Amino acid sequence: MKQKSSDPGAQVKQTISIKAVLLSLGILLANIVINGLIFVFFRDSTLNPLLTAVLAVLWGVLGVYLIYYTLTWAVEQYPDHIRRKVLPYIFIGPAVIILGWLLVLPALRTLYLSFFNASSEKFVGLSNYAAIFSDHLMATALRNNLLWVFIGTLACVCFGLLIAILADRSSYEKIAKSIIFMPMAISFVAAGVIWKFVYYYQPGDEQIGLLNAIVTYFGGEPQAWTSMLQPWNNFFLIIILIWMQTGFAMVIFSAAIKGVPDDILEAARVDGAGEVKIFFGIMIPFISATILTVTTTIIVFTLKIFDVVMVMTGGQYDTEVVATQFYRQFFMYRNFGYGSTLAIVLLIAVLPVILINLRQFRKQGGF
């Protein structure tokens, strides 16, 4: 026959745990109900739009604070051994839920749609995936994406590293870096608009496009740089990416170069090593992890490139990339199956690069 436990501490500990669980569930439910009611109020509100915007911002800031505060207080009612395990999930939980709702579920939904026909009514298996590699437009888009990846990434990394080295030895370092980094403050759409005027072409002698104005000034013939000169028009578009991302690469490389120990550089100079040998023999190996990180980050940008191509050419004149083809198929032609397949192909292309980046961050102690 079992004897009842006579340890009052165990009973108190069990009682506290039950109370803590009920309290935390109650607080969680209260947060959901209160914030849900506030959302319904704003959705159906007839208040002045400006006042609604101000109140919504206040609700967003205070609401997040209260959610974290109340849930943290509830977890603190648990025993120490449970609190240490649960508390981290309070801070990462909302982010995980949002990422799951906005990224994981749409990705799974897109994967599901990729196995159906244009109207998402008939299951077609892998037919959409097979069609991608037999489509002439997709072959052009894949070729262009490879050009963006190899030429754009290589140029950004090389120019960024070169400028970082040169600017580090210049007395005008801050001014030079500020000017080169400035395009990073511009969106890809705005950059496309700016460069559309740079490449602008019109028949006749009078040219308002900057590049054609320079060409005609020196006696040359104006050109339709982004339409007539195929396949060179893709390179003119890639220049926009280089103009924007070189500043990003330069800043990261400059910070990494400043982290190279001065005593190693001085020792190499004392031993008679030239600057070129120091650069390739000491600096490059020392910042190799940073070079890999910057390279993979820019590769992701180039694989997803959309804005510049859409603004400059709309994907015409053999400048299509995978993202513009996805946009056309899904939103313009309403071919949901094929468009979803393109999105999945783009995701598959980006994932390995992201995994390499995450592994590199882990090696550097980022997480």
Side-chain angles (χ1 to χ4, degrees), residues 48 60 73 79 105 125 128 137 144 157 190 195 212 307 324 331 341 358:
N48 181 277
W73 179 84
L105 289 181
N128 290 323
L137 285 176
N144 291 340
V157 171
W195 281 83
N212 276 323
D307 317 62
T324 56
F331 295 103
T341 305
L358 293 177

Side-chain angles (χ1 to χ4, degrees), residues 6-17:
S6 58
D7 185 2
Q11 294 178 358
V12 171
K13 186 175 180 180
Q14 183 180 4
T15 304
I16 291 175
S17 299

Side-chain angles (χ1 to χ4, degrees), residues 34-47 52 55:
I34 292 172
N35 285 284
L37 291 174
I38 295 175
F39 171 77
V40 171
F41 167 76
F42 280 116
R43 185 190 65 186
D44 302 332
S45 174
T46 57
L47 296 174
T52 302
L55 293 176

Side-chain angles (χ1 to χ4, degrees), residues 276-353:
V276 175
K277 191 172 183 179
I278 290 174
F279 175 73
F280 288 104
I282 297 177
M283 287 187 176
I284 294 296
F286 196 88
I287 66 172
S288 59
T290 305
I291 293 174
L292 179 61
T293 301
V294 171
T295 302
T296 51
T297 302
I298 297 177
I299 286 175
V300 171
F301 285 143
T302 56
L303 286 171
K304 300 187 302 178
I305 197 71
F306 170 79
D307 317 62
V308 170
V309 178
M310 209 65 190
V311 171
M312 294 292 294
T313 64
Q316 301 179 74
Y317 316 115
D318 286 341
T319 59
E320 287 276 14
V321 290
V322 176
T324 56
Q325 267 292 298
F326 158 70
Y327 174 80
R328 290 185 188 283
Q329 294 291 338
F330 200 94
F331 295 103
M332 296 177 66
Y333 305 150
R334 312 300 288 176
N335 190 342
F336 300 120
Y338 195 74
S340 299
T341 305
L342 290 173
I344 294 298
V345 168
L346 196 58
L347 177 64
I348 293 172
V350 170
L351 275 179
V353 183

